[in-house]
Amino acid sequence: MNRTMRTPADARSWARLTYDRRVFTWLALCSSRADADIDLSLPLHPPAASTALGEGATVGEWIRAWAGAALPAGCELMWEERRWRALGAQRVPTALKVKTASAAAELGGRAKDWAMLTERLAAIRCALTAADVVGGLEAGVAEATAAMARAMKSCARDLRQADVADFSRALEVTRWLVLNPDSGLYVRQLPIAGVDTKWVDHHRRLIVALLTGARELAGLPGEGSFGCAPMPHPRSVVIADPALRPAGLRYFLADEVELAELWDAATPPESKATARPRLVLVVENKQSLLAVPDFEGVVALHGGGYAVDWIAKLPWASDLPVVYWGDLDEDGLLILHRLRHHHGHVRSVMMDAQTFTAFRELAVPDPHQPGDPPSSLTAEECLAWECVHAGGGLRLEQERINWSWAVERLEVALGQGCGASPRPE
């Protein structure tokens, strides 16, 4: 068969691919109805005379396939008469014209998707362009449609996955947030039936997209911000120096905002009048953190994995030396690199080849593709990088290290960092 001749199956595949690429562009054109006028044309590449003469049965089958093809309304098959020597005049299909988005959707097997999207576009336009939402803005239907179609494109996957109830609820949440841009409520306090923190987190991308589109249309600030009260981010803290403990507390949880205000950044670390830490120890495992012995001038913090950059935002810690103790694995060394990127005075402890070799039998498989070590690692840390990538990848968790051995290394590291030393019993 002449491979250049396009069949009805080829046309359906073409329509499906074209729909998937352009559906939201077409939605933006649906200003007054659930359809859009488009102008698509697929050349069918009818055969040349030589092909028709040599493959007459195949060409005849191709012509009959198009003549009997069930095409959606809005599609038009173009025919031309060809005069071929030895065959005479023949009427052949030459192109398929697709005039509406709904026709392209039906031809490509996307009719249900188009119906769902146009229905939701109408609901969004109705809910988010009402006078009470946009403050009386008299936006034209075409302008509103285009803005909402852009919003829908940015959350296409979530829009399609949301069931009817969740979509309606997302519209309610969006309307409420537009009308109450600075409520200061926690998300769980939103006065909307069926809405709680988990539900909002699951549908956040959809709500943010709709909210951004509505505010863009209304000329309102805030884009996708909810204007809700942020949830606290409690961090585990061990005040290793009894002289620094607020109300005698050695261990406690503190929100980042509260922790930032724990000491006055303007007080020199060496000041005797007002106590302030001299060194920050960052530990990745909470049990290891809790077990840290008392050290003069030291505050120990739970790092929180790759979110460790929050430590650099503490005003009183910005000029202090930091000692980082994480797991001996690829993630631990990458977290160390990340912390150094945000804080200029970071040393590591027990993240070297010597430590790994001493406790290698306690390491567990941790598959990773080998690669170059991060640029900020020291020579010793680079050797550790090679160790943890040997044999397909290994991980030595910090809590596996013999504790008396670990305390000795902490004493040396914290002493080198700021002159800190264990407090006498």
Side-chain angles (χ1 to χ4, degrees):
M1 180 178 182
N2 187 328
R3 295 295 182 183
T4 63
M5 292 188 298
R6 285 179 169 148
T7 66
D10 294 330
R12 288 190 289 272
S13 296
W14 163 77
R16 182 168 56 254
L17 291 172
T18 304
Y19 175 89
D20 291 343
R21 287 196 306 266
R22 301 188 187 180
V23 56
F24 290 99
T25 300
W26 296 342
L27 279 175
L29 302 175
C30 297
S31 58
S32 59
R33 57 194 179 97
D35 209 346
D37 294 327
I38 60 176
D39 185 14
L40 296 179
S41 179
L42 176 68
L44 301 183
H45 302 317
S50 58
T51 301
L53 184 63
E55 302 179 35
T58 299
V59 171
E61 181 182 345
W62 176 76
I63 293 174
R64 288 190 295 274
W66 274 112
L71 299 176
C75 292
E76 182 180 2
L77 189 60
M78 311 303 293
W79 295 79
E80 289 184 7
E81 186 176 277
R82 299 287 173 88
R83 292 186 177 275
W84 294 325
R85 292 180 62 184
L87 294 176
Q90 298 288 334
R91 191 166 176 264
V92 297
T94 58
L96 177 64
K97 302 285 187 180
V98 181
K99 299 178 180 180
T100 64
S102 61
E106 185 175 348
L107 181 63
R110 297 286 196 259
K112 288 184 178 179
D113 187 72
W114 177 254
M116 181 269 291
L117 291 177
T118 52
E119 180 180 338
R120 293 193 170 181
L121 172 62
I124 292 169
R125 190 169 55 205
C126 178
L128 302 183
T129 62
D132 64 331
V133 176
V134 300
L137 174 71
E138 294 184 2
V141 174
E143 180 186 355
T145 300
M148 293 302 109
R150 287 194 298 272
M152 292 170 68
K153 182 178 181 180
S154 69
C155 62
R157 181 179 177 182
D158 300 271
L159 183 73
R160 287 182 166 114
Q161 290 180 342
D163 61 25
V164 173
D166 284 335
F167 172 72
S168 297
R169 198 171 290 125
L171 276 185
E172 288 186 64
V173 172
T174 304
R175 276 179 56 89
W176 194 92
L177 293 175
V178 173
L179 293 169
N180 302 271
D182 300 299
S183 70
L185 298 177
Y186 289 110
V187 168
R188 195 173 183 86
Q189 294 177 294
L190 296 181
I192 302 168
V195 172
D196 57 23
T197 306
K198 289 183 179 179
W199 186 91
V200 171
D201 286 343
H202 186 69
H203 297 88
R204 183 174 294 272
R205 286 190 300 265
L206 175 59
I207 297 168
V208 167
L210 297 178
L211 188 57
T212 300
R215 286 176 174 161
E216 173 195 341
L217 184 62
L220 299 173
E223 297 183 341
S225 170
F226 286 9
C228 294
M231 287 295 293
H233 294 285
R235 304 293 183 177
S236 294
V237 183
V238 167
I239 309 297
D241 186 343
L244 297 174
R245 291 172 185 164
L249 293 174
R250 184 179 198 274
Y251 168 75
F252 55 91
L253 295 176
D255 179 73
E256 292 176 20
V257 175
E258 297 170 332
L259 191 55
E261 299 173 352
L262 201 53
W263 291 284
D264 184 358
T267 302
E270 65 276 5
S271 171
K272 301 297 183 182
T274 304
R276 179 190 169 200
R278 298 187 180 188
L279 182 144
V280 177
L281 171 63
V282 180
V283 183
E284 276 308 311
N285 178 274
K286 287 187 178 181
Q287 285 77 14
S288 298
L289 174 74
L290 292 172
V292 169
D294 286 357
F295 285 96
E296 183 180 356
V298 174
V299 169
L301 305 173
H302 183 243
Y306 282 96
V308 74
D309 52 296
W310 70 272
I311 293 167
K313 301 173 185 177
L314 300 175
W316 51 266
S318 61
D319 62 340
L320 298 183
V322 172
V323 173
Y324 178 75
W325 180 26
D327 291 332
L328 258 173
D329 61 1
E330 178 178 294
D331 288 321
L333 291 164
L334 288 174
I335 293 168
L336 171 61
H337 171 71
R338 179 174 175 82
L339 180 57
R340 282 190 175 131
H341 178 74
H342 291 277
H343 196 291
H345 313 286
V346 180
R347 299 173 65 254
S348 68
V349 60
M350 290 176 280
M351 301 191 72
D352 50 36
Q354 179 189 7
T355 301
F356 188 87
T357 301
F359 299 96
R360 190 185 189 284
E361 70 277 6
L362 300 177
V364 297
D366 184 33
H368 281 290
Q369 291 295 327
D372 294 332
S375 58
S376 72
L377 297 191
T378 66
E380 280 296 315
E381 292 159 357
C382 286
L383 290 176
W385 178 271
E386 294 178 7
C387 289
V388 303
H389 283 89
L394 294 167
R395 179 175 72 253
L396 176 61
E397 296 172 324
Q398 61 181 197
E399 62 269 28
R400 301 298 180 188
I401 297 172
N402 178 276
W403 185 242
S404 60
W405 196 93
V407 169
E408 291 178 5
R409 270 68 189 173
L410 284 174
E411 290 175 356
V412 173
L414 300 183
Q416 288 178 349
C418 69
S421 58
R423 282 191 170 271
E425 296 294 334

